[in-house]
Amino acid sequence: MPIPNTAREYRLPKSGAGIEGLVFQTSAITQPKATEVLVKIHAVSLNFRDVAMATGSYTAGVKENLVPGSDCAGEIVALGSDVQGWSNGDRVCVNFAPTYLHGGPSIELSRSALGGPTDGVLVEYRTFPANALVRVPEYLSYEEASTLPCAALTAYNALMGPVPLKGGDTVLVLGTGGVSIFALQFAVASGATVIVTSSSDSKLELAKKLGAQHVINYNTTADWDKEVLRITGGEGAKHIIEVGGAGTLAKSFQCVSYGGWIHSIGFVAAGGDQVNTTMATISRGCSLRGILVGSVAQFGDMNRLLVAKQIKPVVDKAFAFEELKEAYNHLAAQKFVGKIVVKVAKE
């Protein structure tokens, strides 16, 4: 099929423009430079970050007139003259920060993040550096693969970072959103004991089906930190997937194990007690670690685990490209489990 001259895309005029402020338009398709490829984007998964930018609660490093969205899966349809190792028709994901190839994060890498400092992936065709690509596992659909670049890799980086998860460790997963569900799946696949919290019994039932050994409804068990200590015989959780932020951090410090890790990922929970992080980390000898997604090298490592254990991403709902605002509102309502996906390409 010939490549068209223009592509449909969305733009967010400025941070805080609102979900209804998203603009649907067409733009010219750029041909790939020597070391780039042109990707036909089939699916995009949304993150809380995308809604936060639209509503104005996330303003740092957001460019004007932004093409939003950071996570996509698609197929290569054109190759730059110097690209090797890739072919037209290859199914690929693009790393969240295209210049983050390996090693640790840096300010330069943060400036390359898609859908924030630079234009994102809510567009039918886009060029990317060839070295930012990762091959899609054969058993995954485009919709499933689109969930990997941010949510999956963030969870993997948290659990397999400086001190990787070991079989028999206890992992506490807060919530059942995209990062949390992937963390649950990776922890179970690695032989950990997993505790999951949620305000919904139906979501907790799904968590149990995915392998969680213990679940806590924090609406009916307000002192969920004490319940974690009870479950672990007073030891606490070795790894905590901390997506709540201010609303949950104080309790996370109360139930992390001595020498354990609190992986700071999100800020979806309001309220909560104030916590002196200096004293909290010293008193338990624990680490509070901020997670900035991950590198292309980690992405490849993660895909090996996905394939070995045939882990299937949990897609809550898939929306048509024209239904992007409905998809944003579904995400904002926080009634979902796993990931919300937008189908971009016309077949």
Side-chain angles (χ1 to χ4, degrees):
M1 181 178 293
I3 300 169
N5 294 319
T6 60
R8 299 181 302 163
E9 67 179 14
Y10 281 91
R11 292 271 177 180
L12 182 68
K14 62 180 181 179
S15 179
I19 293 172
E20 292 303 316
L22 289 162
V23 177
F24 196 33
Q25 63 181 43
T26 60
S27 65
I29 294 174
T30 303
Q31 293 303 307
K33 298 176 183 176
T35 58
E36 295 178 338
V37 301
L38 179 64
V39 175
K40 178 181 181 181
I41 296 176
H42 282 258
V44 170
S45 70
L46 300 181
N47 297 301
F48 182 75
R49 168 179 180 257
D50 300 317
V51 170
M53 287 180 183
T55 58
S57 60
Y58 186 115
T59 58
V62 181
K63 73 181 288 287
E64 293 286 305
N65 202 30
L66 171 74
V67 176
S70 57
D71 301 14
C72 71
E75 64 176 310
I76 296 174
V77 293
L79 301 165
S81 58
D82 293 342
V83 172
Q84 296 181 346
W86 295 105
S87 302
N88 285 332
D90 284 348
R91 301 194 316 143
V92 296
C93 288
V94 184
N95 202 48
F96 179 88
T99 62
Y100 190 1
L101 304 184
H102 54 78
S106 68
I107 189 168
E108 289 79 12
L109 299 177
S110 70
R111 289 170 178 162
S112 77
L114 296 170
T118 68
D119 281 332
V121 295
L122 278 165
V123 59
E124 290 176 304
Y125 291 85
R126 230 207 95 164
T127 59
F128 299 99
N131 59 6
L133 305 180
V134 177
R135 202 173 300 274
V136 169
E138 291 183 5
Y139 72 100
L140 295 182
S141 68
Y142 283 118
E143 289 79 15
E144 291 167 334
S146 74
T147 68
L148 301 179
C150 183
L153 191 54
T154 296
Y156 183 86
N157 187 6
L159 295 176
M160 307 298 174
V163 178
L165 171 70
K166 296 182 178 65
D169 284 350
T170 298
V171 176
L172 171 62
V173 175
L174 304 187
T176 54
V179 173
S180 298
I181 290 294
F182 274 118
L184 162 60
Q185 291 175 297
F186 291 149
V188 169
S190 302
T193 297
V194 184
I195 306 169
V196 176
T197 69
S198 174
S199 61
S200 164
D201 287 337
S202 62
K203 291 180 180 180
L204 291 174
E205 283 301 313
L206 176 58
K208 286 196 285 187
K209 290 179 181 177
L210 292 171
Q213 290 93 334
H214 305 278
V215 296
I216 304 170
N217 186 316
Y218 59 76
N219 275 350
T220 56
T221 306
D223 291 333
W224 52 265
D225 52 330
K226 295 178 181 177
E227 181 64 8
V228 171
L229 291 173
R230 187 195 67 78
I231 291 169
T232 59
E235 184 175 333
K238 184 71 173 179
H239 293 269
I240 298 179
I241 303 299
E242 174 49 84
V243 299
T248 54
L249 187 58
K251 288 184 182 295
S252 290
F253 270 114
Q254 291 297 319
C255 62
V256 66
S257 69
Y258 283 79
W261 293 80
I262 299 175
H263 305 286
S264 181
I265 293 163
F267 48 93
V268 299
D273 296 331
Q274 293 292 312
V275 58
N276 183 326
T277 54
T278 300
M279 292 305 299
T281 51
I282 291 173
S283 65
R284 287 185 178 265
C286 64
S287 299
L288 176 65
R289 177 178 175 238
I291 308 295
L292 283 175
V293 195
S295 67
V296 173
Q298 282 180 310
F299 205 149
D301 291 341
M302 178 187 74
N303 280 359
R304 292 174 59 222
L305 176 58
L306 288 168
V307 172
K309 294 296 186 178
Q310 293 288 288
I311 295 171
K312 294 277 281 186
V314 176
V315 175
D316 181 89
K317 189 173 182 180
F319 291 81
F321 198 33
E322 298 79 5
E323 299 173 324
L324 180 68
K325 294 177 183 179
E326 290 91 328
Y328 267 60
N329 283 317
H330 188 60
L331 178 60
Q334 295 190 36
K335 303 296 185 184
F336 62 96
V337 175
K339 294 295 292 180
I340 296 165
V341 171
V342 177
K343 298 179 180 180
V344 177
K346 293 179 179 177
E347 299 299 333

